[in-house]
């Protein structure tokens, strides 16, 4: 998994992120950043994302939740 540095100011003040609904999904964007390759893309298969990011320590997040997250982030072009 690549290491990533997150620009907090850009994340906290993102207009695109401000349009993500419901607001509880917004913080999850930072959880997905480490999945990105050098070109900023990653395989957005909900089961793969769930298994990599959430399965170990976020039992309240389901594959269906991940699918909804991905759909919403794509909707706002993130």
């Amino acid at each position: 998994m690549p290491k990533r540095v997150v620009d907090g100011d850009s994340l906290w003040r993102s207009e695109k992120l401000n349009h993500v609904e419901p607001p509880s999904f917004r913080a999850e964007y930072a959880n997905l950043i480490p999945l990105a390759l050098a070109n900023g893309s990653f395989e957005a298969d909900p089961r793969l994302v769930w298994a990599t990011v959430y399965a170990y320590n976020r039992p309240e997040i389901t594959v269906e939740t991940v699918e909804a997250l991905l759909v919403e982030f794509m909707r706002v072009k993130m």
Side-chain angles (χ1 to χ4, degrees), residues 1-6 33-38:
M1 195 65 49
K3 304 289 185 220
R4 296 285 177 241
V5 175
V6 176
I33 290 172
L35 292 173
L37 301 173

Side-chain angles (χ1 to χ4, degrees), residues 36-57:
L37 301 173
N39 66 358
S41 67
F42 62 91
E43 186 173 346
D45 176 84
R47 290 191 66 73
L48 180 60
V49 172
W50 174 82
T52 304
V53 178
Y54 297 103
Y56 182 72
N57 64 4

Side-chain angles (χ1 to χ4, degrees), residues 19-46:
H19 294 292
V20 170
E21 293 294 336
S24 62
F25 281 10
R26 296 175 188 166
E28 298 306 324
Y29 188 72
N31 250 348
L32 301 180
I33 290 172
L35 292 173
L37 301 173
N39 66 358
S41 67
F42 62 91
E43 186 173 346
D45 176 84

